[in-house]
Amino acid sequence: MSSYKICGGRALKGESFCQGSKTSSLPILAACILCDRTVELDNIPDITDVDATVKILTWLGCRITRSGRHMTVDASGVHTGEIPDDLMREMRSSVIFLGAVLARTGRALISAPGGCEIGLRPIDLHLNAISKLGAQIENSAGKIECTAPEGLKGASVTLSFPSVGATENVMIAAVLAQGETVIRNAAREPEISDLADFLNAMGAKVSGAGESTVRIEGVKRLHAAAHTVIPDRIAGATLLAAGAITGGSVRVRGLIPAHLEPVIDILEQAGSEIEIRSDSVLLRAPQRLRCVKTVRTMPYPGFPTDIQPPVTAMLCVSRGTSVVIETIFESRYKYVGELVRFGAKIRVDGRMAVVEGADRLYAANTVTPDLRGGAALVLAALAAEGESTVNDIRHIDRGYEDFSRTLAALNADVRRTEE
Ligand code: UD1
């Protein structure tokens, strides 16, 4: 089991370059299957969720070369639509392969993803939408089989919730379908626009991405393309929150600041000074943070659920009481029990967490419950007096590229240990 040993109490300072987006990279890699020519991708982060995605692509018949953050995907050899259970389990979001595999091979056979650390995460919206495009769906004995031997047909799809994954799955499935697909109540996250830009670079006809209605005019074939993935707004926001909780001064470069607006608003409310340049954000934290108005997670452009845990950790050392409401995932407070070990004063009641700022946090020995909850524990450890241990950091490796090195370069005293 890998762990971080963190000696807290040092203000973070300096500059960091933001990694590429995990949430963009995974559907973009899946969408490579649609094209039988070589695709060049840049800014793909070196994280274990990407490794799991590469394993699935390779199993399906893709040839992949990777050099740093550059990746070449040749999907000309895709020969199956079946993804084995063990590969599906390695990554919850592997359901994103459904639309791509179905569109390419006419059949997709995957195991039904179970619940995960942050909630039940059903895929009913994905399946309803894919069936609208004409796929037959058999769902039995933990397996989901989708078939469309004659190909998919464009359709009108209205999502009952603007699910990021379902929007991406339908967009990908519809690219090679006959006729036009219209997705209403689509997710508007920046990663949706990034996926559309990539699909269009391959010759797809997607319009309206980033708005509530997305239109996809089916095309017969896609061609070779190159694309650079957008910066990871969640990883960037995590570093800014780390600067804030330690009373530090941190500039994150390589960002698209507009993507962080709701987070920047909360960081400012908490007393940090923010300086925005075209592709960087500088945060200067005060000696003591203050409480904020309610933090309510919402679909984009609202406050992102993925940054809720790190920001809740930050509020633990503010002056006064803040309220956090999680509206997206039902089990996203598992890390709170671990934060309390640092002396944080938090009460959770259903979807609401009431955070009473403490004067200081103390070193603790903790276990990471999930990816973003793990980041929250690291932030608490950076602020706590003494040496803390954050155990089982494989969750953190899923989404943060070399997190300990990034933090150490910002003056943190953090060591990774492998057992
Ligand atoms: C993606 C991101 C995740 C982020 C989330 C919301 C990846 C790998 N993950 O997850 O980090 O937190 O967007 O910004 O990109 N739902 C259903 N039925 C469905 C699909 C979703 O009920 O078929 C529910 C989910 O359980 C959840 C809510 O809708 O409560 C939002 O989920 P969704 O937007 O689909 O998130 P993901 O795409 O899974």
Side-chain angles (χ1 to χ4, degrees), residues 22-24 26-27 49 91-93 95-96 118-127 161-168 187 189 191 233-234 298-300 304-306 327-330 332 351 371-372 398:
K22 158 180 139 72
T23 314
S24 269
L26 306 183
D49 264 7
M91 192 184 56
R92 161 64 180 65
S93 39
V95 69
I96 200 64
I118 60 173
L120 289 172
R121 299 187 88 163
I123 59 164
D124 54 319
L125 300 176
H126 299 243
L127 297 180
F161 179 86
S163 154
V164 174
T167 303
E168 292 166 343
E189 270 68 2
E191 294 77 17
R233 62 196 166 102
I234 306 302
M298 297 287 280
Y300 193 84
T305 171
D306 284 352
T327 75
I328 308 290
F329 289 108
E330 64 275 19
R332 205 144 207 190
R351 299 267 184 163
L371 167 58
R372 308 299 172 187
R398 285 183 37 223

Side-chain angles (χ1 to χ4, degrees), residues 118 234 238 241 245 295 297 303-316 324 326 331-336 339 346 355 369-380 400:
I118 60 173
I234 306 302
T238 303
I245 198 173
V295 178
T297 66
F303 188 91
T305 171
D306 284 352
I307 202 65
Q308 177 264 103
V311 161
T312 300
M314 179 191 87
L315 294 173
C316 290
V324 179
E326 171 58 53
S331 308
R332 205 144 207 190
Y333 288 127
K334 287 194 178 149
Y335 67 96
V336 164
L339 266 191
I346 311 182
V355 186
D370 56 68
L371 167 58
R372 308 299 172 187
L377 301 183
V378 169
L379 264 56
Y400 292 94

Side-chain angles (χ1 to χ4, degrees), residues 233-246 250 252 255 257 260-276 281-286 288-293 295 303 307-308 310-315 318 379:
R233 62 196 166 102
I234 306 302
T238 303
L239 294 178
L240 294 173
I245 198 173
T246 60
V250 168
V252 184
L255 274 177
L260 279 97
E261 260 175 36
V263 182
I264 287 173
D265 179 44
I266 293 293
L267 295 170
E268 284 183 326
Q269 278 185 42
S272 289
E273 268 176 43
I274 302 283
E275 195 182 298
I276 298 174
V281 177
L282 168 67
L283 173 139
R284 281 195 208 93
R288 179 87 195 259
L289 296 168
R290 47 178 193 256
C291 58
V292 299
K293 281 189 269 169
V295 178
F303 188 91
I307 202 65
Q308 177 264 103
V311 161
T312 300
M314 179 191 87
L315 294 173
S318 67
L379 264 56

Side-chain angles (χ1 to χ4, degrees), residues 30-43:
C32 290
I33 294 175
L34 296 175
C35 180
D36 58 7
R37 298 296 163 92
T38 300
V39 168
E40 305 277 339
L41 297 173
D42 252 313
N43 212 22

